[in-house]
Amino acid sequence: MDDDLEVLFAEETISRRVLDLGGRISRDYAGRDLLLVGILKGAALFLADLARSVTVPAEVAFVRASSYGSGTASSGSVTVDLDAGLRVTGRDVLLVDGIIDSGRTLSAVMAKLRERQPASLKAAVLLDKRSRRTVDAPVDYIGFEVPDRFLVGYGLDRAGQYRNLPYIAVLKQE
Ligand code: IMP
Ligand code: MG
């Protein structure tokens, strides 16, 4: 393994937690019209696994969000690219992201989804860097609370690298 990486959550630890979350989501959304919306690209791996651990009918979609600024922290402005054809109105939307840091990305995407008047709007994130929050963004399903370190793997990147690691690691050089 890369010398700069220190495993924080092993593959088995992640999959157990994702199964737990999927179970809770399945109970909470039984009989509803669930639309899972992942934020690209970071949520891609988490949503792929979460969707398979959800046992109620669900549609899976993605939205693109990007923030401008330095490579490792998001800056003030977030652009959200939501497919015009995605049917949101009147549906039970669960927004999914790999990690929440300042909260800007999640809150910007939630605002955009809210414009289309979903029946309900909640959020699920695998990793919560709670100590860094500057924008209020309520998260209903959280995998793990994590320290203020730069993390990679399982969808999270550093300059496009490391997304395909099956585990989550601290990048020690950051
Ligand atoms: P926020 O908008 O500050 O909450 O940041 C959320 C976004 O920043 C995530 O969707 C990630 O793309 C990125 N991000 C924040 N912390 C990390 C990290 O530790 N590793 C990789 N990406 C991160
Ligand atoms: Mg990134």
Side-chain angles (χ1 to χ4, degrees):
M1 191 176 66
D2 195 319
D3 285 344
D4 292 341
L5 300 179
E6 181 188 314
V7 176
L8 187 61
F9 300 111
E11 194 172 356
E12 299 72 24
T13 309
I14 298 168
S15 63
R16 250 185 279 117
R17 191 67 184 130
V18 173
L19 267 175
D20 285 350
L21 293 174
R24 280 181 51 202
I25 292 165
S26 302
R27 286 190 292 280
D28 294 351
Y29 285 88
R32 311 276 290 276
D33 181 16
L34 176 58
L35 171 62
L36 297 166
V37 179
I39 302 179
L40 289 172
K41 299 172 188 168
L45 278 71
F46 175 41
L47 181 50
D49 288 338
L50 186 67
R52 281 177 288 188
S53 75
V54 165
T55 55
V56 295
E59 183 178 341
V60 175
F62 286 95
V63 56
R64 187 176 293 278
S66 30
S67 51
Y68 295 103
S70 76
T72 58
S74 72
S75 64
S77 70
V78 179
T79 56
V80 181
D81 180 10
L82 187 62
D83 188 345
L86 182 65
R87 209 163 50 75
V88 169
T89 311
R91 307 187 71 188
D92 295 297
V93 178
L94 182 60
L95 185 60
V96 177
D97 204 356
I99 189 164
I100 181 169
D101 185 38
S102 71
R104 285 191 200 98
T105 304
L106 208 68
S107 85
V109 178
M110 285 187 113
K112 196 88 173 185
L113 286 164
R114 220 173 268 119
E115 288 172 8
R116 297 194 191 175
Q117 299 181 302
S120 67
L121 179 59
K122 290 187 171 187
V125 298
L126 184 64
L127 306 175
D128 181 4
K129 230 184 241 186
R130 197 167 300 169
S131 62
R132 298 255 310 162
R133 198 82 83 257
T134 58
V135 170
D136 185 39
V139 184
D140 306 275
Y141 304 93
I142 294 167
F144 306 100
E145 193 173 333
V146 293
D148 183 14
R149 305 285 303 278
F150 198 77
L151 307 177
V152 294
Y154 197 67
L156 303 181
D157 75 306
R158 202 283 310 268
Q161 292 297 306
Y162 304 111
R163 282 196 209 278
N164 62 322
L165 298 176
Y167 51 85
I168 291 163
V170 175
L171 193 59
K172 289 192 276 188
Q173 302 298 50
E174 295 297 315

